[in-house]
Amino acid sequence: MRQKVRVLQILHGLAPAGTEAFVLNTVEHLDKDKLEVSYLIAVNDRQYHQDHVESLGHKVYMTCDLNGIVKLFKHFYLLYKTLKKFGPFDVCHSHMDFLNGLNLFVAYLAKVKIRVSHSHNSAKIEDNLLVKYYRKTMRLFINTFANVKLGCSHDANEFLYGIKACEKSQVIYNGIDLNNFKVLERKPNLNFITVGRMVRQKNCLFLVNVIAELKKIYPLVKLSWVGDGSDRISIEKKIRELGLCKNIELLGVRKDIPQLLVTPNYFLMPSLYEGLPFALVEAQAAGLPCFISDGVPKQANIGLCMFIPLALSAEEWAKKIANYIEGSTKRMKLDKEALGKFDIKTSSKVVEQIYLQN
């Protein structure tokens, strides 16, 4: 009887975020008779999803937080030590952006046959020369030591692998369990929802400003904000300053996203950049019109996205949203055929085939 193929998922952590959600959802739908999955995470402390992962029988190995050059080298040393001591592993699947190349270089030294780099993000922000040099160097490592290159969108692949190398990469959409999301008839209301970490990438303070402008048009506007992060204190301060305490409810990290998407009528995401946001796919699957920035890849649109330029002011965002609410803008409609591409059963099967290749 053939032994199980052993897979090591390499991540920054097991936090409540989109990358982790993709990995956990995918692993849950893999053939457990053929694959044995473990996790290696670059943290020192216990993680949000760790109890769940270990309850499923998966092993979790830790290296260290990546705060500084010394810790970075320690991470690579502990990764190599883990691969040798607890291996052999047949597959290493790295989800750590530009560190994927160095992770997979270590996997190459440890004689791991299938080395998968996965891109979960993109950025259109201008970088300084030091960052550009760092990314160019890291791309060289990725394109040399990854023999499988994946990403959640074309933009994400081009960002991590470069324009030419992107041609040899594959897009695997962030899959969700479509059975958890139903398009329901909703009562007309002015309730919005956003789901995401409270970090600079998500353009959080601008989002607060958009709600402030919408309040001038609709005094009863509400926003449910799911997520947490390093910008929470500045967000709370901004909410108080603009008198929005009754309009914006901070829900923190939640596991009941499908249930939370039942009540609101609209979804907001003014992110500076994204790979292909998990929450946006879920919102559309639940039938919510989504007002999103042009920093989000076009592939994320399943018919219910209105792209609004980041160059516009919060007031202009509010006016465009109000035009849609009032019916002066063409109604958006869910593309059910396009939604099928985001079925977790489809995306996990593709990943499984990659792991099981000879």
Side-chain angles (χ1 to χ4, degrees):
M1 183 177 178
R2 182 184 177 184
Q3 290 185 330
K4 292 183 180 181
V5 170
R6 301 190 66 209
V7 180
L8 185 67
Q9 303 284 351
I10 308 174
L11 301 105
H12 281 289
L14 287 170
T19 298
E20 288 83 346
F22 167 80
V23 175
L24 295 177
N25 285 355
T26 300
V27 169
E28 185 178 336
H29 288 81
L30 297 177
D31 190 331
K32 297 170 183 59
D33 293 328
K34 295 179 180 178
L35 296 160
E36 177 188 308
V37 178
S38 300
Y39 297 82
L40 181 135
I41 51 179
V43 291
N44 293 318
D45 55 336
R46 196 153 187 87
Q47 295 289 285
Y48 181 83
H49 288 298
Q50 194 164 340
D51 287 342
H52 172 68
V53 165
E54 290 177 340
S55 72
L56 297 175
H58 302 301
K59 291 183 175 65
V60 178
Y61 308 105
M62 292 185 178
T63 57
C64 60
D65 291 319
L66 303 180
N67 52 348
I69 297 295
V70 173
K71 290 289 185 70
L72 199 59
F73 279 100
K74 182 179 179 182
H75 161 75
F76 296 125
Y77 167 73
L78 292 174
L79 168 58
Y80 181 80
K81 189 175 179 180
T82 300
L83 290 171
K84 298 301 288 185
K85 181 177 180 180
F86 300 104
F89 289 94
D90 303 289
V91 182
C92 274
H93 193 157
S94 183
H95 306 268
M96 292 176 64
D97 300 320
F98 283 96
L99 289 180
N100 285 356
L102 293 176
N103 284 333
L104 298 178
F105 169 60
V106 173
Y108 169 80
L109 294 178
K111 296 181 169 37
V112 177
K113 182 179 179 182
I114 301 173
R115 302 177 299 277
V116 186
S117 170
H118 207 127
S119 179
H120 294 275
N121 228 325
S122 66
K124 298 178 181 178
I125 299 173
E126 289 297 320
D127 301 313
N128 60 45
L129 286 176
L130 185 61
V131 172
K132 287 181 178 178
Y133 180 77
Y134 164 77
R135 289 179 173 173
K136 184 176 182 180
T137 303
M138 292 301 101
R139 283 192 186 107
L140 179 61
F141 272 91
I142 292 171
N143 291 322
T144 301
F145 295 104
N147 48 25
V148 179
K149 290 179 285 189
L150 308 177
C152 59
S153 67
H154 176 79
D155 288 0
N157 284 354
E158 187 173 300
F159 171 66
L160 194 62
Y161 308 127
I163 295 174
K164 291 184 178 180
C166 176
E167 297 172 359
K168 297 181 180 180
S169 62
Q170 182 177 356
V171 172
I172 295 182
Y173 292 111
N174 290 342
I176 63 173
D177 189 341
L178 297 180
N179 294 324
N180 291 335
F181 300 89
K182 304 295 180 184
V183 178
L184 304 172
E185 288 293 330
R186 290 174 167 81
K187 295 180 181 179
N189 63 46
L190 295 168
N191 293 348
F192 290 75
I193 189 169
T194 189
V195 181
R197 292 172 298 132
M198 293 177 168
V199 294
R200 178 178 175 272
Q201 173 191 348
K202 304 298 181 179
N203 211 7
C204 301
L205 297 182
F206 181 78
L207 175 55
V208 176
N209 287 333
V210 171
I211 296 299
E213 294 296 333
L214 281 169
K215 185 182 178 182
K216 295 176 183 178
I217 306 171
Y218 307 111
L220 298 179
V221 67
K222 299 283 186 183
L223 172 69
S224 298
W225 196 323
V226 180
D228 206 341
S230 56
D231 285 354
R232 181 170 184 131
I233 292 175
S234 58
I235 291 167
E236 292 175 333
K237 180 182 177 183
K238 185 88 168 178
I239 290 171
R240 290 192 298 269
E241 289 175 349
L242 296 178
L244 298 173
C245 293
K246 293 183 179 179
N247 302 91
I248 299 178
E249 183 180 13
L250 304 182
L251 301 179
V253 175
R254 299 286 292 264
K255 294 183 178 180
D256 56 342
I257 301 300
Q259 291 73 34
L260 291 174
L261 292 174
V262 170
T263 303
N265 272 33
Y266 309 104
F267 183 85
L268 270 171
M269 180 175 278
S271 300
L272 297 175
Y273 56 90
E274 292 282 354
L276 198 153
F278 216 87
L280 180 57
V281 177
E282 294 178 328
Q284 292 179 89
L288 299 185
C290 302
F291 305 104
I292 65 176
S293 76
D294 56 356
V296 177
K298 294 292 189 288
Q299 298 100 311
N301 185 13
I302 328 171
L304 289 177
C305 289
M306 176 187 286
F307 290 89
I308 305 178
L310 284 165
L312 297 185
S313 67
E315 181 182 5
E316 291 170 309
W317 268 65
K319 286 180 180 178
K320 286 186 173 293
I321 293 169
N323 285 340
Y324 184 86
I325 293 173
E326 300 299 329
S328 58
T329 302
K330 184 180 178 182
R331 300 289 92 180
M332 294 182 272
K333 185 178 180 181
L334 179 67
D335 184 340
K336 293 184 179 179
E337 183 177 345
L339 178 62
K341 295 187 298 185
F342 295 91
D343 189 336
I344 187 61
K345 295 174 184 175
T346 301
S347 56
S348 60
K349 183 58 65 176
V350 176
V351 173
E352 183 177 290
Q353 290 171 350
I354 291 170
Y355 291 166
L356 293 175
Q357 63 182 290
N358 294 319

